[in-house]
Amino acid sequence: VKTVERVRRLDEGNLPALARGCAILGAGGGGDTKVGLLWAMNAVRDHGPVPVVDLDELDDEDLVMPCGGIGAPTVGIEKIERGDEILRIRPVVEELWGKPVVALFAAEIGGTNGMAPAAWGAVAGLPILDADGMGRAFPEVPQVTMAVAGISPNPAVMTDERGNVVVFRGIDGGWMERMERALAVEFGGQASSSEYQCTVAQAKTGTVRSSVSLAVGIGRVLTEAERDPVGALAQALDAEILIAGKVVDVERRTTAGFVRGQVTIDGLGGDAGRTMRLEIQNENLVALEGDRVHAMVPDIITVIDTESGLAIQTERVRYGQRVSVLAFPCDPIWRTPAGLELAGPRAFGYDLDYVPVETLHGA
Amino acid sequence: VKTVERVRRLDEGNLPALARGCAILGAGGGGDTKVGLLWAMNAVRDHGPVPVVDLDELDDEDLVMPCGGIGAPTVGIEKIERGDEILRIRPVVEELWGKPVVALFAAEIGGTNGMAPAAWGAVAGLPILDADGMGRAFPEVPQVTMAVAGISPNPAVMTDERGNVVVFRGIDGGWMERMERALAVEFGGQASSSEYQCTVAQAKTGTVRSSVSLAVGIGRVLTEAERDPVGALAQALDAEILIAGKVVDVERRTTAGFVRGQVTIDGLGGDAGRTMRLEIQNENLVALEGDRVHAMVPDIITVIDTESGLAIQTERVRYGQRVSVLAFPCDPIWRTPAGLELAGPRAFGYDLDYVPVETLHGA
């Protein structure tokens, strides 16, 4: 989507496009957008459209609040938010900061977490930012651009659908992740939370900007592609098509609040004879063909249905699906040393030096 | 200890007696008092003695704060508090309540948790109450007399030795227990916390009073018993000696932040030929001889070293020890319907109607 058309509000007309775009940007993670779309559509029907504002329209001292769900996406399909989580989180954040929240934004634009601010913005009567904290999805709490920019995760506020509310002040992002994950597991595998609240001034350099507009734009490319949605997407995103084929093996387990595993894809048509393996940890992290790495985190690797062009989240991938694997560059902030330390291949336990997808795949 | 001499301060002179008394009142739980004693002695040496005040000496509107450790006692032996936990918990409690804490008290007088307020009182320069929230030890957060009296567990404040701080607002005591336990496990099996803060007026009917003085008194009985400490204790406490014998089997595992298992004791001397089994879940909960129940929770069942009279915590019981099992009545608040619902045998999964130890054992 080389030229992004600025989105000014989210409503029943463009939420489906947002959902499709969030799924593509999710790199397989961030939760199922079907659930998030139903939730956001309901909220907008009940409470009206949600304004989308740019950071430049707000005062530098204003408080903006990231939000989203934490937990394993496999659980999120069945254990959904009650919808009023924002009404418990927001007042606690406002009390702790001593000022009002002027806008919500997605901690991650990827997956259903990209839809959460729309749903919560409608319920709370708050606009949302045309920005997010990842430009994609990542599995862990501190893997956000706010952390790369040096913004504190404290205070974090978490709630469950029952009404329990917990405020965390962690010594660092790693402990925030451990504490919140442990509690999300205790809550049944899924909870809602806000971390890394910040001022508009901080958000200007500490978020990925225009990502809501980008997601809607990606969704529209899919709607408008009359045939070959994969090709249309690849062109719009400057993405590489790593393979087109069929899922022949899925190894997936849900442990400690994460989905982990591998997906194997055998090529079809022009890719016949090739086999690609994706390593997953909530998101698709590394794409390998034998020993050759085609793409790696933090670049975005998304599995899409070859016929419809719709993204398939890691928890939905199954044997026999005809898929294409797309890979495209992450936001430049992730390619900085601080970004790679938080979310590069070594942060996920892979003994790989990061190489950008456009270099790797072209090699 | 039929007449309790009122203790006015805790210092190096009487802390050892307090530790021995807390161990007896702990019913096997509440953590190892050797660790607690070392900690409290150090704190008192560094910061001076700790005044012990009665609730009647304070204003009804004043705020008093229970505190203690949460986690498996087996872990508490090796993973000890850093000592400055109170300096992180207290300011958060005071900010949330909007008034100063005037005194600390033990959530449970049993075990090392009965020593924590002495250590923290010294560090924080605060007096401690001659009262506690159990009159013994219990495994779970909401098993306190404050809960029986209808006092809210919120806000609970927890910290670990690293400096993480968490504030919980739970929908009920059961969820408070689940949330805090999950986090204590994530912290490595042990954490420090405060729940059920209340006013002096509330504490007057919602705590077990004079329990610090009682614990010191019990400790002194042991010091002064020239021979037969078991008999001296039994007389002082109006306790039943259920069996005197030898530990022949210990089945104990540490899971999900709890110590669970069984201890089997074969009688010696006059008790030869008898076998008693204790069911444990951090504390000794039920004493059985075949099918016959001799004592059950919430009454206090304590295993003591027959020669020294010192209590042996559940995590220290081992094969071959010569022990006597003492059982004596709990505080009357636990024998009310609300008390038994929280901490009676059915609360621990035993299909038993509560019968007081003095009735059972005399039967």
Side-chain angles (χ1 to χ4, degrees), chain A residues 18-29 31 33 109-111 302 310-313:
Chain A
L18 176 66
R20 288 191 295 272
C22 289
I24 298 287
L25 290 172
T33 53
I109 192 73
T302 296
L310 297 176
I312 305 173
Q313 313 294 114

Side-chain angles (χ1 to χ4, degrees), chain B residues 234-297:
Chain B
Q235 197 187 7
L237 287 165
D238 260 339
E240 312 284 351
I241 303 171
L242 303 187
I243 195 168
K246 181 181 130 173
V247 176
V248 295
D249 193 45
V250 178
E251 185 201 318
R252 183 172 49 208
R253 54 203 182 281
T254 302
T255 50
F258 281 106
V259 177
R260 294 174 206 267
Q262 295 186 341
V263 173
T264 308
I265 297 153
D266 278 357
L268 293 174
D271 288 330
R274 295 178 57 206
T275 295
M276 185 157 286
R277 196 176 85 240
L278 304 179
E279 296 276 339
I280 62 178
Q281 181 179 327
N282 283 17
E283 284 75 40
N284 306 304
L285 296 183
V286 182
L288 294 143
E289 186 170 3
D291 287 342
R292 185 183 160 202
V293 179
H294 280 262
M296 67 178 90
V297 70

Side-chain angles (χ1 to χ4, degrees), chain B residues 31-253:
Chain B
D32 188 83
T33 54
K34 287 195 194 71
V35 175
L37 178 58
L38 287 172
W39 176 34
M41 289 289 265
N42 256 328
V44 164
R45 261 194 296 270
D46 289 351
H47 303 279
V50 178
V52 180
V53 297
D54 189 85
L55 284 161
D56 292 328
E57 301 170 54
L58 302 172
D59 286 342
D60 269 359
E61 296 309 305
D62 281 348
L63 180 65
V64 290
M65 180 180 126
C67 54
I70 174 171
T74 37
V75 176
I77 294 176
E78 296 184 352
K79 180 174 180 296
I80 65 172
E81 282 84 357
R82 197 165 70 176
D84 61 352
E85 287 76 8
I86 187 67
L87 302 180
R88 286 191 293 281
I89 294 176
R90 176 195 184 179
V92 176
V93 166
E94 291 184 335
E95 194 191 328
L96 291 167
W97 279 85
K99 57 180 171 180
V101 170
V102 303
L104 305 176
F105 66 106
E108 59 182 348
I109 192 73
T112 211
N113 271 337
M115 312 296 294
W120 281 340
V123 170
L126 280 172
I128 71 168
L129 293 184
D130 194 358
D132 80 295
M134 296 188 192
R136 46 163 296 158
F138 276 125
E140 299 202 348
V141 168
Q143 290 172 321
V144 287
T145 52
M146 292 80 86
V148 181
I151 296 166
S152 167
N154 296 320
V157 182
M158 177 182 270
T159 190
D160 68 354
E161 74 283 7
R162 301 167 194 87
N164 292 301
V165 177
V166 184
V167 177
F168 301 87
R169 291 190 183 270
I171 53 169
D172 56 33
W175 269 100
M176 190 62 85
E177 161 66 25
R178 288 184 64 166
M179 293 190 290
E180 292 200 296
R181 187 76 50 183
L183 215 59
V185 170
E186 188 63 29
F187 283 153
Q190 183 78 25
S192 302
S193 68
S194 172
E195 308 83 17
Y196 297 96
Q197 305 100 24
C198 57
T199 64
V200 166
Q202 289 175 302
K204 279 179 179 170
T205 54
T207 63
V208 176
R209 300 186 60 175
S210 303
S211 50
V212 172
S213 294
L214 174 64
V216 172
I218 292 170
R220 284 186 178 141
V221 167
L222 285 177
T223 312
E224 288 157 17
E226 293 190 3
R227 53 187 187 78
D228 188 20
V230 175
L233 264 182
Q235 197 187 7
L237 287 165
D238 260 339
E240 312 284 351
I241 303 171
L242 303 187
I243 195 168
K246 181 181 130 173
V247 176
V248 295
D249 193 45
V250 178
E251 185 201 318
R252 183 172 49 208
R253 54 203 182 281

Side-chain angles (χ1 to χ4, degrees), chain A residues 61-85:
Chain A
E61 296 309 305
D62 282 346
L63 180 64
V64 289
M65 180 179 126
C67 54
I70 173 172
T74 37
V75 175
I77 295 177
E78 297 185 351
K79 179 175 181 294
I80 64 172
E81 282 84 356
R82 197 165 71 176
D84 61 353
E85 288 76 8

Side-chain angles (χ1 to χ4, degrees), chain A residues 11-281:
Chain A
D11 53 30
E12 291 180 72
N14 59 8
L15 279 171
L18 176 66
R20 288 191 295 272
C22 289
I24 298 287
L25 290 172
D32 188 83
T33 53
K34 288 195 195 70
V35 175
L37 178 57
L38 286 171
W39 176 34
M41 289 289 265
N42 255 327
V44 164
R45 261 194 296 270
D46 289 352
H47 303 279
V50 178
V52 179
V53 298
D54 191 84
L55 283 161
D56 291 328
E57 301 170 54
L58 302 171
D59 286 343
D60 268 357
E61 296 309 305
D62 282 346
L63 180 64
V64 289
M65 180 179 126
C67 54
I70 173 172
T74 37
V75 175
I77 295 177
E78 297 185 351
K79 179 175 181 294
I80 64 172
E81 282 84 356
R82 197 165 71 176
D84 61 353
E85 288 76 8
I86 187 66
L87 302 180
R88 285 191 293 282
I89 294 175
R90 176 195 185 179
V92 176
V93 167
E94 292 184 335
E95 193 190 329
L96 291 167
W97 279 84
K99 56 181 172 180
V101 170
V102 303
L104 305 177
F105 65 106
E108 59 182 347
I109 192 73
T112 209
N113 271 337
M115 311 297 293
W120 281 339
V123 170
L126 280 172
I128 72 168
L129 294 183
D130 194 358
D132 79 295
M134 296 188 191
R136 46 164 295 159
F138 276 126
E140 300 203 347
V141 168
Q143 290 172 323
V144 287
T145 51
M146 292 80 87
V148 181
I151 296 166
S152 167
N154 296 319
V157 181
M158 176 182 271
T159 191
D160 67 354
E161 75 282 6
R162 302 167 193 88
N164 291 302
V165 178
V166 184
V167 177
F168 301 87
R169 290 188 183 272
I171 53 170
D172 57 32
W175 269 101
M176 191 62 86
E177 162 65 24
R178 289 185 63 166
M179 294 190 290
E180 292 200 296
R181 188 75 51 183
L183 215 58
V185 170
E186 188 64 29
F187 284 153
Q190 183 77 25
S192 302
S193 67
S194 172
E195 307 82 18
Y196 298 94
Q197 305 100 25
C198 56
T199 63
V200 166
Q202 289 175 303
K204 280 178 179 171
T205 55
T207 63
V208 176
R209 300 188 58 176
S210 304
S211 50
V212 172
S213 294
L214 174 64
V216 172
I218 292 170
R220 285 186 178 141
V221 167
L222 284 177
T223 312
E224 289 158 15
E226 293 188 3
R227 51 183 190 79
D228 188 20
V230 175
L233 263 181
Q235 197 186 9
L237 287 165
D238 260 339
E240 312 285 350
I241 303 171
L242 302 187
I243 196 168
K246 181 181 130 174
V247 176
V248 294
D249 193 47
V250 178
E251 186 202 317
R252 182 171 51 209
R253 55 202 181 283
T254 302
T255 52
F258 281 106
V259 177
R260 294 174 205 267
Q262 295 187 342
V263 173
T264 308
I265 297 153
D266 278 358
L268 292 174
D271 289 329
R274 296 178 57 207
T275 295
M276 186 156 284
R277 196 176 86 239
L278 303 180
E279 297 276 339
I280 62 177
Q281 181 180 324

